[in-house]
Amino acid sequence: MAYSYDDQNIFAKILRDEIPNDTVYETDHSLAFKDITPQAPHHVLVIPKGKYVCFDHFANTASDAEIVDYIRAIGEVCKMLGIPPGDGGNGYRLLSNAGQDGVQEVPHLHVHIVAGRGLGRMLNPAAS
Ligand code: AMP
């Protein structure tokens, strides 16, 4: 696997406190903050603090501790937002874009948690 991490990406700058963010949750290995351009009433990004470009990079090279922390952090943010169907919430969608076809804008792994309205079909069939 050949991933080269760009230390100048915007989420790296957030992690170094060089630019502000609206943090909603933080752990030793993970940070969750509000998306600056929300697509729904709830739109939170969850990132690992380690230098991982995208999901497969993380899944294949992160430590077990980082992976457990990250997955738990996503679950915790869902709970904080009151959106888990199992807790009476209306549900949510998790998205993680990777690379060119995934139209990933920021080359630091992030999962989007999107919720708070009906989200329609999973993919836009008109997109190319
Ligand atoms: P993606 O296309 O999956 O890489 O999504 C990148 C996301 O990062 C977009 O939803 C942007 O709105 C969001 N974003 C970009 N810069 C910031 C920032 N400074 N703070 C919070 N979210 C940001």
Side-chain angles (χ1 to χ4, degrees), residues 10-11 14 19-22 33-39 43 45 95-98 102-108 110 112:
I10 196 133
F11 296 167
I14 284 176
I19 60 170
N21 74 93
D22 196 347
F33 53 93
K34 291 184 181 176
D35 195 293
I36 203 166
T37 312
Q39 305 291 315
H43 189 167
L45 302 174
L95 286 167
S96 190
N97 298 317
V103 196
Q104 180 179 10
E105 292 173 13
V106 181
H108 181 113
H110 49 286
H112 299 251

Side-chain angles (χ1 to χ4, degrees), residues 67-100:
I67 291 171
V68 169
D69 183 285
Y70 187 59
I71 298 296
R72 296 275 190 216
I74 293 169
E76 191 58 41
V77 173
C78 289
K79 271 197 277 184
M80 289 169 63
L81 296 174
I83 56 179
D87 294 337
N90 281 346
Y92 55 90
R93 183 167 295 156
L94 302 182
L95 286 167
S96 190
N97 298 317
Q100 182 179 313

Side-chain angles (χ1 to χ4, degrees), residues 6-79:
D6 172 12
D7 271 312
Q8 293 309 308
N9 81 75
I10 196 133
F11 296 167
K13 292 179 180 179
I14 284 176
L15 286 167
R16 292 195 297 266
D17 282 331
E18 292 171 7
I19 60 170
N21 74 93
D22 196 347
T23 295
V24 299
Y25 186 66
E26 183 169 11
T27 66
D28 286 349
H29 294 297
S30 307
L31 179 69
F33 53 93
K34 291 184 181 176
D35 195 293
I36 203 166
T37 312
Q39 305 291 315
H42 296 303
H43 189 167
V44 174
L45 302 174
V46 189
I47 66 173
K49 292 183 176 177
K51 297 179 178 185
Y52 301 103
V53 174
C54 59
F55 193 88
D56 64 282
H57 187 204
F58 181 72
N60 290 311
T61 64
S63 68
D64 289 359
E66 289 175 298
I67 291 171
V68 169
D69 183 285
Y70 187 59
I71 298 296
R72 296 275 190 216
I74 293 169
E76 191 58 41
V77 173
C78 289
K79 271 197 277 184

